Amino acid sequence: RQELLDSFFEEFTQYVADKWAVGKEKTNKGVLIAISKGYHRIRIQNGEGVKTLISDDETYRVVQGYFVHHFKEGNYFQGTKSGINGLIILLKEKM
């Protein structure tokens, strides 16, 4: 069940990112952040242009270091705000 949920959430977020065409078409530097409080899931879908700047491991560290800490305390707004700021800082360092 856990693997099925993880797979579904990953496929769903990829579908949304593709369908919404997140980011500019030429640079593909969009980022989609999907959060499911009910299923305790967060997924960051980086566009191909962002993947050239930050790795999956770096994205994982942002999720764990910024989002999850606050989410575990029930502070979803603060966790989301903190996580977005963490991504911005990381991307600015890489640009």
Side-chain angles (χ1 to χ4, degrees):
R1 176 174 154 91
Q2 185 74 28
E3 290 175 12
L4 183 61
L5 182 59
D6 289 342
S7 176
F8 171 77
F9 196 67
E10 182 176 342
E11 289 177 26
F12 175 72
T13 58
Q14 184 64 57
Y15 172 80
V16 171
D18 292 342
K19 190 74 170 171
W20 288 358
V22 177
K24 294 184 179 177
E25 186 175 353
K26 291 182 182 179
T27 60
N28 203 9
K29 289 186 178 177
V31 174
L32 174 87
I33 301 169
I35 300 167
S36 173
K37 180 181 173 185
Y39 290 110
H40 304 284
R41 294 283 176 278
I42 180 169
R43 176 96 178 140
I44 297 177
Q45 292 289 148
N46 293 325
E48 293 300 319
V50 174
K51 288 180 183 178
T52 63
L53 298 173
I54 59 175
S55 69
D56 288 342
D57 287 341
E58 290 171 311
T59 302
Y60 178 80
R61 286 194 296 272
V62 168
V63 168
Q64 295 303 311
Y66 292 90
F67 288 91
V68 172
H69 169 74
H70 294 287
F71 287 2
K72 285 183 178 180
E73 296 174 352
N75 298 321
Y76 292 93
F77 175 80
Q78 185 59 41
T80 302
K81 181 178 172 185
S82 177
I84 290 170
N85 286 331
L87 278 173
I88 290 169
I89 290 167
L90 179 59
L91 287 165
K92 280 185 176 181
E93 289 174 357
K94 301 291 183 151
M95 296 179 122

